[in-house]
Amino acid sequence: MTDLVTGADGIRRCAWAGTDAEYQRYHDEEWGTALHGDRRLFEKMSLEGFQAGLAWITILRKRPRFREVFHDFDPAVVAAFGPDDVERLMQDAGIIRNRAKIEAVIGNAGLVERMADGELDALMWSFAPVAHTPPRTFAEVPAVTDESTALSTELRRRGFRFVGPTTMYALMQSAGMVDDHVAGCWRAEV
């Protein structure tokens, strides 16, 4: 795989954005952009957990339905979901129908709901590396870092599920805690 792709619009992007318009929009507007707020980070954590073992584009395409069925990832609402809600979600072809992941989101919502306002945001961002060297090539992009491992360990200690080190590094990339746009990508130059 090459490190960059030039879109029909003439813009050079990280190659993973490919030619899919939604992927390119996500790359250009979201991935690597600082994301704050307990609710938005809870959504990101939940979607990254659903992504485990799948392509991100699958989650991205299903994100509107995820937001709908999980009430825009309002932790208070999701934490109140019960067995009937799990069964309803298991029948919804618009999301990823994985019982363990659905139950993890509900359990994680309860943990977020019990945190002080801003606590999840502060906790997650406290693991952002102080210094991060943007990669020159995809070969330099790690799947796991000491920081993502530490974040995963702390979240697991608190009872969160589907928050492994690789998943947490993907969250750190997408939430802008690290900038992994490769050299030559227009976003790396911003």
Side-chain angles (χ1 to χ4, degrees):
M1 170 188 265
T2 63
D3 294 322
L4 297 168
V5 64
T6 302
D9 54 8
I11 296 174
R12 292 176 50 170
R13 295 176 176 88
C14 297
W16 62 261
T19 59
D20 182 278
E22 180 59 14
Y23 238 179
Q24 289 180 350
R25 186 211 57 76
Y26 177 73
H27 171 276
D28 292 355
E29 299 173 13
E30 293 185 54
W31 196 74
T33 300
L35 178 69
H36 285 280
D38 293 343
R39 192 167 173 168
R40 292 299 97 184
L41 288 168
F42 169 61
E43 174 185 353
K44 185 69 73 177
M45 178 195 314
S46 300
L47 293 177
E48 293 289 355
F50 272 110
Q51 186 270 332
L54 302 170
W56 180 249
I57 192 66
T58 302
I59 303 304
L60 200 55
R61 289 187 178 131
K62 291 179 178 279
R63 183 166 64 174
R65 184 66 180 156
F66 272 113
R67 285 176 170 166
E68 184 178 343
V69 300
F70 284 102
H71 300 269
D72 203 29
F73 290 92
D74 181 335
V77 175
V78 176
F81 281 10
D84 290 344
D85 295 297
V86 172
E87 293 310 316
R88 172 182 51 81
L89 293 168
M90 286 296 295
Q91 300 306 311
D92 194 320
I95 66 167
I96 304 303
R97 295 177 288 182
N98 179 301
R99 186 177 302 276
K101 292 177 181 182
I102 291 168
E103 290 175 347
V105 169
I106 296 166
N108 291 349
L111 296 170
V112 173
E113 178 61 15
R114 290 189 289 280
M115 296 173 97
D117 187 42
E119 185 177 351
L120 181 64
D121 184 299
L123 171 67
M124 288 190 156
W125 277 89
S126 74
F127 289 92
V130 174
H132 178 76
T133 303
R136 290 170 292 160
T137 68
F138 275 120
E140 294 178 6
V141 178
V144 175
T145 63
D146 290 343
E147 293 87 356
S148 73
T149 299
L151 174 57
S152 171
T153 299
E154 177 58 21
L155 289 170
R156 287 177 174 173
R157 185 189 71 74
R158 291 172 180 238
F160 286 89
R161 294 182 290 157
F162 280 92
V163 292
T166 302
T167 300
M168 289 302 94
Y169 192 69
L171 180 146
M172 293 173 103
Q173 291 173 305
S174 64
M177 295 175 193
V178 296
D179 180 1
D180 277 344
H181 289 281
V182 297
C185 169
W186 80 271
R187 284 290 312 274
E189 299 168 4
V190 175

